[in-house]
Amino acid sequence: MNETLTTAQREELKALLLAARRDLQTQMQQNRENLAPPAADQDGTAQGNVGREVDQALTNIDTADLARIDHALEALEDGSYGLCAECGCNIPFERLKIEPQTQHCVACKSRWEQSKGHARVPS
Ligand SMILES: [Zn+2]
């Protein structure tokens, strides 16, 4: 149990997670529809239509995101929410508020990203 979180903060994070899940599901639904030949925009504006060819990749990412959100919601129920899966520290509320589905503190996440070698090498 992350003891630095108050009940009100947990409620707030739960609301964020539920909203994020709803958004993601809407987005996935739209992505699926977009895989069909693109229809004209309702009002003729062309914003947000860049990169349609990466929709499939985005859909895969969304699925992983959705799994993380579900995992976070479960953790909220069983009381393990807000603890770093790596070092077990309390993840600060400020970080959870930005990324409520995260399972790692900043230190562990950046270490993990570095070891994976996915971080962009500064030129
Ligand atoms: Zn950690």
Side-chain angles (χ1 to χ4, degrees):
M1 177 68 78
N2 185 331
E3 284 155 11
T4 66
L5 294 178
T6 65
T7 306
Q9 284 174 332
R10 263 196 287 274
E11 285 301 315
E12 190 178 339
L13 292 167
K14 186 176 179 177
L16 284 174
L17 283 164
L18 289 172
R21 185 166 68 167
R22 206 168 44 235
D23 283 355
L24 209 56
Q25 280 170 337
T26 307
Q27 216 175 77
M28 286 166 80
Q29 182 62 36
Q30 283 169 354
N31 278 354
R32 266 195 293 272
E33 285 163 9
N34 283 344
L35 289 178
D41 288 324
Q42 292 150 352
D43 57 3
T45 54
Q47 85 180 30
N49 275 339
V50 190
R52 212 175 270 281
E53 71 277 7
V54 295
D55 278 352
Q56 187 57 54
L58 283 175
T59 303
N60 293 340
I61 294 168
D62 288 345
T63 307
D65 265 348
L66 198 63
R68 289 205 302 158
I69 290 170
D70 280 342
H71 182 93
L73 283 165
E74 277 169 31
L76 263 172
E77 293 304 317
D78 70 24
S80 63
Y81 180 74
L83 297 176
C84 176
E86 190 71 28
C87 69
C89 73
N90 293 324
I91 302 172
F93 177 65
E94 290 308 315
R95 167 154 170 72
L96 291 170
K97 214 170 139 180
I98 296 165
E99 203 186 344
Q101 71 272 40
T102 191
Q103 288 161 34
H104 295 99
C105 67
V106 173
C108 287
K109 195 180 180 192
S110 55
R111 199 163 56 230
W112 182 74
E113 279 171 355
Q114 275 166 18
S115 71
K116 290 268 285 187
H118 281 173
R120 240 173 248 140
V121 181
S123 53

